[in-house]
Amino acid sequence: MKFNLKTEPYIQSYREDLVELSLVLEAFGYKVEPYTDAGLTHFHNLLPEARKNVAHALHAYVGALKAELASGLYQNDRFVLQFLFRIGQAPSTDLSNTLKNERFIQIYNRDNLQIFRSLACYERCSFTLEQLTSRTWLELWERDTMFTMTFSKMAQNLRSVMKYCAINFDFPYHNVTEIDSAMSYSFQYKLKTVCGLTRQNQIQSALLIEDWKF
C-alpha cells in the first residue's frame, strides 16, 4: 500500500523524529533503535488521525528531551511538564509535587498509544522507538490475563472521573514481558497512580506513575 506524503506530510517528520530521538537517547546513554523497517509498518497500521496525533506527540517529546539535554541536568518532573506544555495538556493541580520523586512515568493517549516515557523506562527496553509509539500497551507487553482485564476495564471507567484528580492504587507487582521485541525483556511492574490530562476540560490522555523492578 502506498501513502501520499502530500496528504500526510507528518509521516516524513515522524521518521526524522524517530532518528533524532535515537541520537538524543544515545547522548543520555541509552541505545534504542528508531525502527527496523524504513517503511514504518507499525506506524502505517494506524488510522490517519492516529498517525497524525502520534507524530505530533513525538515531535513534542523530542523537543522536550533536547531541552533537558541542553540544560546539562536532567530533571524528570521538568521533562514531564515541558512535554505537557508542548502538547497543550494540563495535569491535575496535585500532581506536580508527586512527580519530583518518581522515576517511571508513562503517558498514553486516548488510542492507548504511548506518547511519553521517562528516561528510566529505557533501562529495560528492547523495542524500537516506532514500536513504542505505534503499538498499544496491550500489544507491547504480555501480562497475566487478570491484570490485563483489570487495567482495560479501569481505563474505560476512569475516563469520566480521573481528569479531576490523581488517583492512587495499591495493585501488587506482577510480571510483564515485551512482545515481539529484540530481547523479550521481562520485569516486575506496579501501577501506583493515574492522572488524567486535559485540554479545554476534555480528557486527552492519562499519565501513569509506575514502579519497575528488574
Side-chain angles (χ1 to χ4, degrees):
M1 183 181 296
K2 294 183 178 180
F3 297 88
N4 190 339
L5 291 180
K6 291 184 178 179
T7 59
E8 296 188 63
Y10 48 83
I11 293 177
Q12 182 61 31
S13 67
Y14 172 77
R15 181 184 288 105
E16 293 171 353
D17 282 334
L18 288 176
V19 174
E20 184 167 18
L21 176 55
S22 181
L23 294 173
V24 176
L25 287 171
E26 190 170 357
F28 278 104
Y30 300 99
K31 179 66 175 178
V32 189
E33 296 295 331
Y35 47 75
T36 56
D37 174 12
L40 304 178
T41 303
H42 297 293
F43 183 67
H44 285 305
N45 283 338
L46 300 174
L47 294 174
E49 186 64 21
R51 290 198 292 267
K52 182 178 180 180
N53 292 337
V54 165
H56 171 71
L58 178 62
H59 191 71
Y61 182 83
V62 173
L65 188 56
K66 286 171 63 178
E68 286 303 304
L69 182 62
S71 74
L73 179 63
Y74 173 82
Q75 293 183 13
N76 204 33
D77 56 330
R78 183 176 61 192
F79 179 30
V80 177
L81 296 176
Q82 176 65 220
F83 170 75
L84 294 180
F85 173 78
R86 288 170 183 261
I87 63 172
Q89 295 182 21
S92 64
T93 55
D94 59 346
L95 185 66
S96 296
N97 289 333
T98 303
L99 293 176
K100 294 180 180 179
N101 300 316
E102 301 295 341
R103 296 184 66 236
F104 300 97
I105 297 170
Q106 301 188 88
I107 299 176
Y108 293 88
N109 67 15
R110 289 182 293 185
D111 294 318
N112 292 315
L113 297 167
Q114 185 179 120
I115 58 175
F116 178 95
R117 61 169 28 208
S118 55
L119 285 186
C121 295
Y122 293 104
E123 295 175 9
R124 195 65 171 176
C125 174
S126 67
F127 290 117
T128 67
L129 295 173
E130 182 200 4
Q131 286 177 308
L132 283 173
T133 54
S134 298
R135 296 169 61 186
T136 68
W137 63 271
L138 289 165
E139 299 168 303
L140 288 174
W141 293 285
E142 181 180 12
R143 66 188 76 210
D144 185 276
T145 302
M146 180 188 70
F147 285 101
T148 299
M149 294 177 61
T150 299
F151 291 161
S152 297
K153 185 175 181 180
M154 179 187 68
Q156 295 174 357
N157 293 341
L158 288 180
R159 286 183 179 179
S160 61
V161 298
M162 67 180 181
K163 64 183 178 182
Y164 300 109
C165 62
I167 300 176
N168 298 317
F169 296 94
D170 191 24
F171 287 114
Y173 286 96
H174 62 279
N175 192 68
V176 300
T177 303
E178 294 178 344
I179 300 173
D180 191 29
S181 67
M183 300 299 294
S184 298
Y185 283 143
S186 294
F187 54 92
Q188 291 292 305
Y189 173 94
K190 180 177 182 178
L191 177 62
K192 298 168 61 176
T193 302
V194 176
C195 176
L197 303 171
T198 62
R199 182 169 58 240
Q200 297 179 342
N201 205 36
Q202 297 295 316
I203 191 72
Q204 301 296 322
S205 53
L207 182 149
L208 279 62
I209 297 176
E210 307 160 345
D211 192 23
W212 296 13
K213 292 183 178 180
F214 45 86

